[in-house]
Amino acid sequence: MQPAYNNFALKLMMEDQAPVELDRQRVTMGRSSTNLIRLLNKSVSRNHLLIEVFEDHISVQDLNSSAGTFVNSALVPPFEHRVAKLGDTIVIGECVCELVAASGLAVQPSDSEDGMRTIVW
């Protein structure tokens, strides 16, 4: 049986970019190489947000980023959690993503053995 957190992926709103599977229960995103998903974009903070994946939803927490994080156009205040579901839009600085079902998708493979992914936006 697959873990529940294999149900979700982020579809990045840019051409030729496969969805990124959220294959861990806790996923950090930001410019720093310490994040599981590294977004190389000047509008993204070094440690921008934390995503916690549950069976039927994800929790998005902004880590006091400079440009902010939005779920469906609503600002996520720093260090507060917001629930996101399939079809929701998550904006990370200038980067726009849609939360999609991971099953059956061709997802972006990891860039390294530790599962980190680097995305140039």
Side-chain angles (χ1 to χ4, degrees):
M1 184 171 153
Q2 285 188 321
Y5 49 80
N6 283 344
N7 295 336
F8 297 100
L10 288 177
K11 180 180 177 188
L12 307 168
M13 300 302 182
M14 56 191 290
E15 287 188 33
D16 302 325
Q17 181 67 54
V20 177
E21 188 172 9
L22 300 176
D23 57 2
R24 308 233 175 127
Q25 192 163 14
R26 292 173 56 91
V27 177
T28 56
M29 296 178 73
R31 268 194 349 262
S32 171
S33 63
T34 61
N35 292 288
L36 283 174
I37 300 177
R38 187 176 183 199
L39 295 172
L40 297 181
N41 182 285
K42 66 182 182 330
S43 70
V44 176
S45 293
R46 286 186 301 262
N47 297 300
H48 200 105
L49 76 140
L50 168 68
I51 293 178
E52 292 182 285
V53 184
F54 299 96
E55 189 171 326
D56 59 347
H57 71 279
I58 69 168
S59 172
V60 177
Q61 180 183 17
D62 183 89
L63 299 175
N64 202 25
S65 67
S66 57
T69 301
F70 296 82
V71 174
N72 294 330
S73 302
L75 178 66
V76 178
F79 305 112
E80 288 188 21
H81 295 269
R82 285 293 186 268
V83 171
K85 311 176 294 311
L86 289 176
D88 285 354
T89 300
I90 300 171
V91 178
I92 306 151
E94 296 173 352
C95 304
V96 181
C97 307
E98 180 185 0
L99 188 61
V100 297
S103 57
L105 287 175
V107 296
Q108 178 186 3
S110 300
D111 294 320
S112 63
E113 290 180 14
D114 64 0
M116 191 180 113
R117 296 158 178 88
T118 299
I119 301 163
V120 179
W121 199 288

